[in-house]
Amino acid sequence: MTGLEGSIWRVGHGREIELGRRSVIMAIINVTPDSFSDGGRFETVDAAVEQALRAVSEGAGIVDIGGESTRPNAAKVSPSEEQARVLPVIEALRGRTQALISIDTYRAETARLAISAGAHIVNDVFGLQKEPDIADIAAVTGAGLCIMHTGRDRVKLVDVIADQVHFLERSLDIAAASGVNRDRIVLDPGFGFAKETAEENLELMARFSELSRFGLPLLAGTSRKRFLGAVTGREAQDRDAATAATSALLRLQGAAVFRVHNVAINRDALDIADAMLNARQEFERKRPT
């Protein structure tokens, strides 16, 4: 699979984005005090908006706004606190950028309010399985859905791809039962989410192309993850080069969207991967049969 097969991801407020022909970057904007690599840096509305606009200027097509850290053992926040963090940022961004806005939440009410405030996409790290009402909200509003695999709060199957299929098929059943069209959905295999060892994450990388079986666009979210530190020996804030390497490698295996902290370095890496894939496609087109 080349990753160049074009498809349209239809999202909220009548918007859409082409996936496949050029890789799309989703910039991480953590409006939190305790995220694992940048907690507290963008905690105010002004700082978060400035960072989001900087990310767009560096090549992000989507900005993903989150109000609760999803790192292991992070402190839980109340729905009202999460909403107080993210909604003003979404409202401020709505009139200042044409980039798509994503809300990173597993709470249905936060998703509903975020879409009303201007968000186009709901990025659910529990894959619709914590609060399935998110699927109903997406169906009614037409919002895009990023459905992520997680191994948290359950017993996983031994085989890394078998567990992906087991979990994501259930998530897709929830979406279908709510009436969510498949052209609204992107799947994320959830690197680092209850994949406890570097070996498990690396196997998931090595077998990433097997996820094409779903026939849906795929998102890769390796940015600054712990397994990159296990391989390189670097701390979280120094893992951007390793992240860019994984982005390029996963692009070659069919990933279409890349959720990252450092947009500029990943944009460069993905531009090279895109150019190589286009060159390969052109060679195959011209090669005599």
Side-chain angles (χ1 to χ4, degrees), residues 156-180:
K156 295 188 299 180
L157 302 179
V158 173
D159 182 83
V160 65
I161 298 299
D163 193 67
Q164 292 277 328
V165 172
H166 172 74
F167 182 91
L168 291 173
E169 283 186 344
R170 182 182 176 201
S171 295
L172 290 170
D173 285 346
I174 293 169
S178 293
V180 178

Side-chain angles (χ1 to χ4, degrees), residues 70-104:
T70 55
R71 65 178 174 82
N73 303 313
K76 296 295 183 185
V77 302
S78 68
S80 59
E81 176 64 20
E82 179 190 36
Q83 293 153 20
R85 292 174 178 179
V86 300
L87 296 178
V89 177
I90 293 168
E91 290 166 353
L93 282 171
R94 178 174 58 185
R96 297 188 62 183
T97 180
Q98 286 299 301
L100 298 178
I101 302 170
S102 170
I103 175 64
D104 180 358

Side-chain angles (χ1 to χ4, degrees), residues 90-289:
I90 293 168
E91 290 166 353
L93 282 171
R94 178 174 58 185
R96 297 188 62 183
T97 180
Q98 286 299 301
L100 298 178
I101 302 170
S102 170
I103 175 64
D104 180 358
T105 188
Y106 56 84
R107 294 187 174 97
E109 181 63 6
T110 300
R112 185 187 69 79
L113 292 170
I115 294 165
S116 180
H120 307 91
I121 297 161
V122 180
N123 178 19
D124 183 356
V125 299
F126 280 95
L128 309 180
Q129 296 187 34
K130 199 172 188 73
E131 294 197 14
D133 286 352
I134 284 180
D136 295 330
I137 291 165
V140 169
T141 63
L145 276 181
C146 182
I147 296 175
M148 198 193 80
H149 171 282
T150 184
R152 292 180 181 176
D153 302 333
R154 65 184 183 86
V155 177
K156 295 188 299 180
L157 302 179
V158 173
D159 182 83
V160 65
I161 298 299
D163 193 67
Q164 292 277 328
V165 172
H166 172 74
F167 182 91
L168 291 173
E169 283 186 344
R170 182 182 176 201
S171 295
L172 290 170
D173 285 346
I174 293 169
S178 293
V180 178
N181 292 331
R182 286 176 68 86
D183 63 0
R184 305 277 170 180
I185 297 172
V186 164
L187 298 180
D188 176 356
F191 286 98
F193 280 77
K195 289 84 171 169
E196 303 298 345
T197 66
E199 290 75 16
E200 185 176 2
N201 286 280
L202 291 167
E203 181 180 352
L204 182 56
M205 276 191 64
R207 299 176 62 188
F208 188 88
S209 63
E210 294 180 44
L211 299 176
S212 65
R213 65 192 295 160
F214 290 105
L216 289 166
L218 299 172
L219 182 150
T222 60
S223 191
R224 300 179 181 173
K225 291 292 174 73
R226 183 172 54 185
F227 81 95
L228 300 181
V231 174
T232 65
R234 295 189 181 276
E235 296 300 319
Q237 66 272 16
D238 297 321
R239 296 174 190 162
D240 289 334
T243 300
T246 62
S247 293
L249 290 167
L250 290 166
R251 177 63 173 152
L252 302 187
Q253 292 211 65
V257 183
F258 300 83
R259 185 176 181 274
V260 303
H261 296 86
N262 184 324
V263 172
I265 192 171
N266 282 276
R267 184 72 273 165
D268 283 355
L270 287 165
D271 281 348
I272 295 297
D274 287 345
M276 191 282 286
L277 288 170
N278 278 287
R280 176 191 290 172
Q281 186 178 68
E282 184 66 12
F283 172 76
E284 294 293 337
R285 187 183 68 82
K286 292 180 177 178
R287 185 167 59 177
T289 56

